[in-house]
Amino acid sequence: MDLQLSGRVAVVTGASKGIGLAVTRTLLAEGARVVAVSRKSTPELDALSGTGLVHVAADLMDPEAPGQVVARAVEEFGGLDILVNNAGGPPPGTALPRFSFLAPTDDDWRTMFEFNLFSVVRAIRAAIPAILQRGGGSIVNVSSGSARLPAPMNVDYNAAKAGLNNLTKALSEEYAAQGIRVNTVSPGPVRTAWWTEEGGAADIIAAQVGTDRDTVMNTVAPEMMKLSTGRLVDPQEVADVIALLVSPRSASTTGADFAVDSGFLKQV
């Protein structure tokens, strides 16, 4: 299926690995031109280099960074059609999961909201004028199933993502008539660096339950989170949904939230 993305310009944050890397690869394959944003590149991102890809090294915790990224997209490719706010999760230097409301400090809360909500607010604020100049486009915010299924684990992260869902709905109402669609994609647990890196979620849970990293990812986490498919989500599965949402083929889809979560969310 042709997603009609050839020649369109996208900014993808958190693009060096995981979901962001999969989104970048998919949009490039569909003919889009991509500004890939991350603190640093990776060999996997470098392997995608070509005339349609520009990597911008940026720390989105810097309030000036989102605007600079959008300006670079306009400078390199002449405009902006698509914004994928994928960067999120544990802020730099933070290890998740935390198992209690009392665990995060005030500084932890501030940092969590800065990374998972405020950086997105700034990116959208910078992107909207550029997207409007092109006659409209699409914004996808990567949220989390935990925004709709809150629990004491990672309570600060869950609250930030719930705020992101609310923001998305509000933006979809304000800008639909001007041609900008805004949606969320809410993954469940995805087999990304958050889980797989040394000291990541799998290691933290393994230490709690007395097992190893692979057993956590293959058995303990799917059982603990009651995943219907019995496995963690693959990043490409999330990227495929995002690619469809940013496509003109989804022209009537806005203000929606798409769960790509292995059956994590059970409620109607």
Side-chain angles (χ1 to χ4, degrees), residues 5 14 18 44 68 72 89 94 98 121 128 152 168 172 185 249 254:
L5 292 174
E44 294 81 6
Q68 293 167 355
R72 182 71 182 278
T94 299
R98 300 186 180 107
V121 169
I128 281 175
T168 300
S172 72
V185 171
R249 287 184 174 272
T254 194

Coordinates of all heavy atoms in Angstrom, one line a residue, residues 5 14 18 44 68 72 89 94 98 121 128 152 168 172 185 249 254:
L5 N 3.7 9.2 1.1 CA 4.6 10.0 2.0 C 5.8 10.5 1.2 O 6.7 11.2 1.7 CB 5.0 9.2 3.2 CG 4.0 8.8 4.2 CD1 4.5 7.9 5.3 CD2 3.4 10.1 4.8
G14 N 14.0 11.0 19.4 CA 14.4 9.7 19.9 C 14.7 8.7 18.8 O 14.3 7.5 18.9
G18 N 15.4 1.9 19.0 CA 14.1 1.5 19.4 C 13.0 1.9 18.4 O 13.1 1.8 17.2
E44 N 23.3 2.0 13.9 CA 22.1 1.6 13.2 C 21.5 2.8 12.5 O 21.0 2.7 11.4 CB 21.1 1.0 14.2 CG 21.5 -0.3 14.8 CD 22.4 -0.2 16.0 OE1 22.7 1.0 16.4 OE2 22.9 -1.2 16.5
Q68 N 15.1 24.7 17.6 CA 16.2 24.6 16.7 C 16.1 23.4 15.7 O 16.5 23.5 14.6 CB 17.5 24.5 17.5 CG 17.8 25.7 18.3 CD 18.8 25.5 19.4 OE1 19.3 24.4 19.6 NE2 19.2 26.6 20.1
R72 N 15.9 23.6 11.6 CA 16.9 22.8 10.8 C 16.1 22.0 9.7 O 16.6 21.9 8.6 CB 17.7 21.8 11.7 CG 18.7 21.0 11.0 CD 19.9 21.8 10.5 NE 20.8 21.0 9.7 CZ 21.7 20.2 10.3 NH1 21.9 20.2 11.6 NH2 22.5 19.5 9.6
G89 N 10.3 8.3 28.1 CA 10.7 7.2 29.0 C 11.6 7.7 30.1 O 11.4 8.9 30.5
T94 N 18.1 8.3 34.8 CA 17.1 7.8 35.6 C 16.9 6.3 35.3 O 16.9 5.9 34.1 CB 15.7 8.5 35.4 OG1 15.9 9.9 35.7 CG2 14.6 7.9 36.2
R98 N 10.3 2.3 39.1 CA 10.2 2.6 40.5 C 9.0 2.0 41.0 O 8.0 2.0 40.3 CB 10.2 4.1 40.8 CG 11.4 4.9 40.3 CD 11.3 6.4 40.8 NE 12.4 7.2 40.3 CZ 12.3 8.1 39.4 NH1 11.2 8.3 38.7 NH2 13.4 8.9 39.0
V121 N 5.5 19.6 24.3 CA 4.8 20.9 24.2 C 5.7 21.9 23.4 O 5.2 22.5 22.4 CB 4.5 21.5 25.6 CG1 4.1 22.9 25.5 CG2 3.5 20.6 26.3
I128 N 4.0 23.7 14.7 CA 2.7 24.1 14.1 C 2.8 25.2 13.1 O 2.2 25.0 12.0 CB 1.7 24.5 15.3 CG1 1.2 23.2 15.9 CG2 0.6 25.3 14.7 CD1 0.3 23.4 17.1
P152 N 0.9 2.1 41.0 CA 2.0 2.7 41.8 C 3.3 2.6 41.2 O 4.2 3.5 41.4 CB 1.9 1.9 43.1 CG 0.5 1.3 43.1 CD 0.2 1.1 41.7
T168 N -2.9 16.0 23.5 CA -3.2 15.5 22.2 C -4.6 15.8 21.8 O -4.9 16.3 20.7 CB -2.9 14.0 22.0 OG1 -1.5 13.8 22.3 CG2 -3.1 13.5 20.6
S172 N -5.9 18.3 18.9 CA -6.7 17.8 17.7 C -8.0 18.6 17.5 O -8.4 18.8 16.4 CB -7.1 16.3 18.0 OG -8.1 16.2 19.0
V185 N -0.1 7.3 19.9 CA 0.1 5.8 19.9 C 0.6 5.4 21.2 O 1.6 6.0 21.8 CB 1.1 5.4 18.8 CG1 1.5 3.9 18.9 CG2 0.5 5.7 17.4
R249 N -3.5 8.8 4.0 CA -4.6 7.7 4.0 C -5.3 7.7 5.3 O -6.4 7.0 5.4 CB -3.9 6.4 3.8 CG -3.5 6.2 2.3 CD -3.0 4.8 2.0 NE -2.7 4.6 0.6 CZ -3.6 4.1 -0.3 NH1 -4.8 3.9 0.1 NH2 -3.2 4.0 -1.5
T254 N -8.1 11.8 13.8 CA -7.5 12.7 14.7 C -8.1 12.7 16.0 O -9.3 12.3 16.2 CB -7.6 14.2 14.1 OG1 -6.7 15.0 14.8 CG2 -9.0 14.7 14.2

